[in-house]
């Protein structure tokens, strides 16, 4: 057990310190080199120390599966996406009975995804392609039959299912066993720990309690996990005595109720105050849960002891969600808050509503936003406006929509760009200090949990590209090492391995 961390340098150029630990807590902070009776020392050699990171919005099971599916992220047309799937099938990379691809972004494609196009790839084998935003599924005719989708519906006819229909089909894709899924989740958690992550809010659309209880029973302890509950499971959760903050097992606890009120930008279903160009069927997007249903649902969850997390992407959906929070007389979280009306920024702070945002989406979706939210992008992904209005923000990835790596989110929040492009609305950037505060839950202070990371670079002096590649030498959860760099001293390595 590590009793002291020696020669750790606080961010910002301060002199090195020693940190004393006991029972997972920080019990003392002293100038480096003062003799103490600590039994076990971990010498960081002057590396920088800071609180460990949280990803406030992930879908762990989907993220774990994502890396084992056909990657369509580079496709620039429907025809190119179909060609990638065909190549994967011919090479044997697609081994499951149902061929699954992920990550396509069709909003700017010159051609349309259709069932007929995927039928040219295979008439017999079901093909299911999940969009990058996970709100849309593109299928061939064999998949419609295999999953029993109503072939007479307009969406099924074109081979593109959106929102609830897409979620329902995606939920039925799990061909992996619990053993396989748990192993993949453990691997993803280990990778997260290597990036300095100590906790996640898992908003997977499943009955998460049993999944996480089983994983802990099998030895999972790499992350702190707060799992969400969806409306279809709310009654069962209340009946089981679950409420936000209730421990389930090990490092796992109950998180918020999650409600998806509208769609997404890439699928052109985010519910907006202004119409989308060339979208006559749903000109303002799609409102999945209207306020008359949202209010009693949130009230019931609140009475049952749940915190509230409401997915709202379009400015119309954000306005309606804030209206419901005002009627409830209590705060919560809005997940995404991608497009906010000018009149609503101050309401986040006034109502005590946290904006749970994913900055990398701004970088991924900037061109789509310019096309479909033309004239409004100055208030899209508007982190600076939220903070200046007094709102609290927390950062996440929405993995698998973006990688589960808070350094990527921090880089996007502070630079508003990647790959050398000019910054997207640089006036909406936040400072590195603000981004770090929105990515952590603790402090390096006496009495705080020993959830710590050690870095080879001071992030306060790093540019965007350096932040994306930030080298993490050590991750510690409650005083227990979950990742260490072999470059640490031999004595430290022996202590960690013990």
């Amino acid at each position: 057990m590590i009793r002291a961390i020696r020669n750790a340098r606080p961010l910002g150029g301060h002199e090195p310190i020693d940190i004393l630990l006991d029972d997972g807590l920080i019990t003392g902070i002293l100038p480096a080199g003062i003799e103490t009776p600590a039994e076990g020392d971990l010498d960081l050699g002057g590396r920088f120390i800071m609180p460990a990171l949280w990803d406030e919005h992930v879908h762990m099971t989907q993220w774990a599966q994502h890396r084992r599916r056909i990657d369509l992220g580079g496709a620039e047309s429907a025809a190119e996406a179909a060609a990638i799937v065909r190549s994967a099938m011919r090479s044997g990379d697609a081994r499951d009975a149902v061929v699954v691809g992920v990550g396509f972004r069709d909003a700017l494609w010159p051609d349309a995804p259709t069932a007929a196009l995927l039928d040219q790839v295979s008439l017999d084998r079901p093909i299911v392609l999940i969009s990058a935003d996970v709100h849309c599924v593109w299928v061939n005719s064999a998949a419609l039959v295999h999953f029993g989708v109503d072939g007479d519906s307009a969406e099924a006819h074109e081979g593109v299912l959106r929102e609830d229909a897409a979620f329902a089909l995606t939920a039925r894709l799990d061909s992996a066993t619990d053993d396989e899924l748990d192993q993949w989740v453990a691997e993803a958690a280990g990778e997260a720990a290597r990036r300095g992550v100590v906790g996640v809010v898992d908003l997977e659309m499943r009955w998460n309690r049993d999944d996480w209880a089983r994983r802990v029973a099998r030895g999972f302890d790499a992350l702190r996990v707060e799992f969400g509950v969806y409306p279809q499971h709310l009654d069962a959760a209340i009946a089981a005595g679950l409420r936000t903050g209730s421990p389930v097992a090990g490092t796992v606890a109950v998180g918020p109720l999650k409600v998806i009120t509208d769609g997404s930008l890439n699928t052109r279903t985010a519910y907006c105050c202004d119409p989308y160009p060339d979208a006559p069927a749903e000109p303002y997007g799609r409102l999945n849960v209207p306020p008359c249903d949202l209010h009693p649902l949130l009230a019931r969850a609140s009475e049952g002891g749940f915190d509230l997390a409401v997915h709202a992407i379009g400015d119309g959906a954000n306005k309606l969600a804030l209206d419901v929070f005002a009627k409830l007389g209590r705060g919560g979280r809005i997940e995404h808050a991608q497009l906010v009306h000018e009149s609503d920024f101050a309401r986040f702070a006034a109502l005590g509503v946290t904006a749970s945002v994913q900055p990398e989406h701004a970088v991924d979706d900037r061109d789509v936003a310019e096309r479909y939210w033309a004239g409004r992008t100055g208030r899209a992904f508007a982190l600076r406006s939220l903070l200046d209005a007094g709102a609290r923000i927390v950062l996440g990835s929405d993995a698998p929509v973006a990688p589960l790596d808070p350094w990527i989110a921090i880089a996007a929040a502070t630079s508003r760009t990647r790959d050398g492009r000019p910054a997207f609305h640089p006036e909406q950037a936040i400072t590195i200090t603000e981004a770090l505060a929105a990515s952590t839950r603790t402090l390096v202070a006496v009495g705080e949990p020993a959830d710590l990371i050690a870095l080879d670079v001071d992030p306060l002096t790093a540019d965007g590209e350096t932040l994306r590649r930030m080298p993490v030498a050590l991750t510690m959860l409650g005083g227990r090492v979950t990742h260490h760099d072999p470059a640490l001293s031999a004595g430290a390595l022996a202590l960690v391995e013990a």
Side-chain angles (χ1 to χ4, degrees), residues 104-257:
F104 75 86
R105 299 176 183 273
D106 66 316
L108 299 178
W109 282 355
D111 53 353
T114 63
L117 182 57
L118 290 184
D119 287 346
Q120 295 175 23
V121 178
S122 177
L123 280 171
D124 305 320
R125 197 168 168 193
I127 300 173
V128 177
L129 308 182
I130 304 170
S131 63
D133 58 21
V134 200
H135 281 250
C136 168
V137 173
W138 173 21
V139 296
N140 67 348
S141 298
L144 292 173
V145 173
H146 180 81
F147 289 102
V149 177
D150 178 10
D152 294 330
S153 70
E155 288 188 347
H157 180 72
E158 67 182 12
V160 179
L161 309 178
R162 299 174 177 86
E163 301 305 324
D164 287 345
F167 300 149
L169 194 150
T170 301
R172 298 174 60 192
L173 281 179
D174 292 343
S175 60
T177 65
D178 286 346
D179 288 347
E180 289 173 316
L181 285 176
D182 291 352
Q183 178 60 36
W184 297 346
V185 167
E187 291 172 4
E191 185 173 304
R194 287 190 286 277
R195 299 303 297 140
V197 179
V198 75
V200 299
V201 178
D202 178 26
L203 298 175
E204 193 67 61
M205 198 180 295
R206 297 164 62 98
W207 177 238
N208 286 304
R209 183 195 66 174
D210 292 352
D211 286 338
W212 283 110
R214 182 185 66 248
R215 289 165 187 163
V216 170
R218 293 176 172 179
F220 181 93
D221 63 0
L223 299 173
R224 301 188 192 277
V225 177
E226 297 174 358
F227 65 79
V229 172
Y230 279 77
Q232 63 268 32
H233 301 133
L234 179 59
D235 288 342
I238 293 174
L242 303 184
R243 56 192 298 129
T244 297
S246 298
V248 172
T251 56
V252 175
V254 183
L257 174 79

Side-chain angles (χ1 to χ4, degrees), residues 261-396:
T261 65
D262 74 336
S264 68
L265 169 57
N266 273 280
T267 302
R268 282 84 75 201
T269 47
Y271 188 70
C272 296
C273 297
D274 300 283
Y276 288 87
D278 309 320
E282 295 178 306
Y284 294 92
R286 185 178 299 185
L287 192 60
N288 296 324
V289 182
C292 59
D293 293 331
L294 182 62
H295 178 261
L297 174 60
L298 296 188
R300 172 158 171 69
S302 182
E303 291 167 1
F306 280 88
D307 289 348
L308 309 174
V310 177
H311 165 118
I313 286 183
D315 52 357
N318 276 278
K319 183 175 292 293
L320 292 174
L322 290 168
D323 288 346
V324 171
F325 277 118
K327 189 173 181 180
L328 286 170
R330 63 154 296 175
R333 288 169 42 142
I334 287 183
E335 304 295 327
H336 309 304
Q338 288 186 4
L339 185 65
V340 177
H341 196 277
E342 290 287 358
S343 62
D344 286 329
F345 285 111
R347 297 178 72 200
F348 278 83
L351 297 172
V353 175
T354 295
S356 172
V357 294
Q358 299 75 42
E360 184 72 351
H361 294 358
V363 181
D364 286 332
D365 295 344
R366 58 187 294 176
D367 296 324
V368 180
E370 293 286 10
R371 168 74 173 87
Y372 291 99
W373 289 345
R376 291 167 281 165
T377 54
R379 53 186 175 88
F381 312 99
L383 308 190
R384 181 77 269 153
S385 292
L386 284 163
L387 281 181
D388 286 351
R392 176 176 179 260
I393 67 171
V394 294
L395 305 190

